[in-house]
Amino acid sequence: MDYEEFFQEASDKEIVLPLDQFSGSAPHRLSNEALFHLPLLAMTILLLSKTRRKPKSDELGQLIGECFERTFSGFKGSSQHLGWSANLRMRTVKALTFLETVSLVEVDRHDSRIKATEFGKKVVSKAIDVQSDLGYTLQLIERNYFDIQIEKQIAMDLE
């Protein structure tokens, strides 16, 4: 039986599938826990720290939350605000500590900006250059980070 025959036979026999039980269920969304894996957070911090506008350590959790909300479709239109998640902020600190320990980033003592070391830049560049889901996702995160920075600059210019 092919595709058209199947639907013709179902129509002839007046077969109906009741889907009322599924109408009230919410669409599947990612929970906060789904994205708080230290490797992804560490790679995101490394990515942001290699850009021209280095993030400050005290704004890192908020920035990563905003980038993730814009990048991952499970959070688009969600009532959850990842940037305010205490769990995300705690895990971001752990990821930053790891990156400092292995000398992939340095935190400037004067202005608390996070800067990627030469080795850290090589690591993240290699991850971005590989044709994979990770590389594509990192490119999206980087673009969203740039968009956030431009929006902040425009907002400051308007004030």
Side-chain angles (χ1 to χ4, degrees):
M1 176 180 296
D2 68 1
Y3 183 77
E4 291 179 14
E5 286 179 59
F6 171 79
F7 284 107
Q8 184 60 43
E9 190 172 324
S11 177
D12 292 343
K13 293 183 178 182
E14 298 180 9
I15 297 174
V16 179
L17 297 175
L19 300 175
D20 295 337
Q21 64 185 1
F22 299 110
S23 64
S25 66
H28 178 68
R29 298 215 183 264
L30 294 174
S31 68
N32 282 348
E33 296 297 320
L35 296 175
F36 294 169
H37 296 286
L38 291 179
L40 179 61
L41 290 171
M43 191 58 78
T44 303
I45 293 168
L46 196 54
L47 176 73
L48 301 184
S49 67
K50 81 163 190 70
T51 61
R52 190 178 316 154
R53 161 88 168 70
K54 315 279 190 242
K56 289 185 175 183
S57 59
D58 61 346
E59 65 184 12
L60 194 58
Q62 182 71 33
L63 282 173
I64 289 177
E66 287 181 43
C67 287
F68 281 9
E69 284 176 352
R70 292 177 182 214
T71 302
F72 298 104
S73 60
F75 288 108
K76 291 181 180 163
S78 172
S79 62
Q80 301 176 28
H81 296 285
L82 289 182
W84 295 105
S85 168
N87 195 7
L88 172 64
R89 289 173 184 244
M90 288 186 312
R91 290 187 185 218
T92 300
V93 169
K94 287 180 184 178
L96 179 58
T97 303
F98 165 76
L99 291 171
E100 282 184 291
T101 303
V102 295
S103 300
L104 293 174
V105 298
E106 298 171 345
V107 179
D108 190 318
R109 293 179 191 238
H110 300 292
D111 63 0
S112 75
R113 295 215 181 263
I114 302 165
K115 299 174 185 170
T117 62
E118 287 305 314
F119 182 58
K121 289 176 185 177
K122 287 179 186 177
V123 169
V124 77
S125 293
K126 193 166 193 157
I128 289 173
D129 292 342
V130 174
Q131 297 294 325
S132 66
D133 289 339
L134 175 62
Y136 177 72
T137 301
L138 289 174
Q139 289 174 353
L140 287 176
I141 291 170
E142 186 174 35
R143 181 179 186 116
N144 286 322
Y145 176 66
F146 288 140
D147 290 347
I148 290 167
Q149 297 307 316
I150 290 169
E151 289 170 13
K152 285 181 181 181
Q153 186 63 43
I154 290 171
M156 288 175 54
D157 290 344
L158 292 176
E159 292 178 0

